[in-house]
Amino acid sequence: MRYPVKGGHPVTYHWDGETWTLMDQPPVRTGTDTAKITAVAPDDVYVAGWADAPDGAPPVPSVAHWNGTAWEDITGGLSDLYLHAIAPDGRGGLWVTGNDQAEPAVSEAVFWHFDGTTWTKGAGAPAPDGDTRWPSYTFYDLAPAGASGEFWAVGDYSTPMDSHGDQTVNGLIERSTTPTGTASD
């Protein structure tokens, strides 16, 4: 991020083995912190992050794709997400997750899948004590789980505050199932 954050913009550099070179600015909203990156190949790189929306509105996620020649904004219908993690799906698509801020706030474990054209939002599994789905699920990292398009997600969820204002935060690891519409290997 080139500062100041308000009005700042993301920057990307390329390392060719000897020198860092400043690349063209990714096409994301001003103020976006693009702290997440995944490289499938030299001509297939994604950067992602989120920016604060004005007046307390939900965050504005952004995802850009480098095709070896130019950046393309592929954010599309992805919305209301503090985007904390991205990972390739092993089939030319992408998974993203983080902390969902969609209204009405049910704070499900959510994962978004990009199939190369369209984003689809899906719910993860509820925690073992699933009646405590409020206030939040947050995933911080994703990793592919083989070539089937499945993934592992690592994060946490917190239970509602008790009468003392205390809250329990629990670690959470989830493994997805094969995405709808794809064949298993």
Side-chain angles (χ1 to χ4, degrees):
M1 168 68 77
R2 184 159 296 177
Y3 289 94
V5 173
K6 289 207 184 270
H9 59 84
V11 293
T12 54
Y13 287 85
H14 176 260
W15 175 253
D16 65 8
E18 295 181 23
T19 307
W20 287 103
T21 304
L22 179 63
M23 297 177 64
D24 292 337
Q25 182 177 329
V28 298
R29 176 188 174 117
T30 298
T32 298
D33 182 0
T34 53
K36 307 305 169 200
I37 186 168
T38 190
V40 179
D43 61 351
D44 192 9
V45 179
Y46 298 89
V47 296
W50 56 272
D52 286 321
D55 303 322
V60 180
S62 291
V63 181
H65 178 247
W66 174 256
N67 64 14
T69 305
W71 287 107
E72 175 186 10
D73 180 359
I74 62 165
T75 306
L78 181 64
S79 64
D80 303 334
L81 183 70
Y82 286 110
L83 196 152
H84 294 301
I86 61 175
D89 70 0
R91 298 176 171 269
L94 185 70
W95 286 103
V96 302
T97 190
N99 180 279
D100 186 40
Q101 296 294 305
E103 290 293 333
V106 293
S107 199
E108 294 178 308
V110 297
F111 301 95
W112 287 79
H113 182 252
F114 182 68
D115 65 9
T117 305
T118 306
W119 286 99
T120 304
K121 183 178 180 179
D129 52 347
D131 59 336
T132 59
R133 295 172 70 115
W134 183 91
S136 67
Y137 282 84
T138 301
F139 289 96
Y140 300 103
D141 206 0
L142 289 171
S148 65
E150 297 175 356
F151 61 87
W152 287 98
V154 178
D156 61 44
Y157 69 100
S158 51
T159 59
M161 289 186 196
D162 64 19
S163 60
H164 304 288
D166 294 327
Q167 175 172 46
T168 302
V169 177
N170 304 282
L172 185 62
I173 299 172
E174 289 197 10
R175 182 179 172 145
S176 71
T177 57
T178 302
T180 305
T182 62
S184 284
D185 289 344

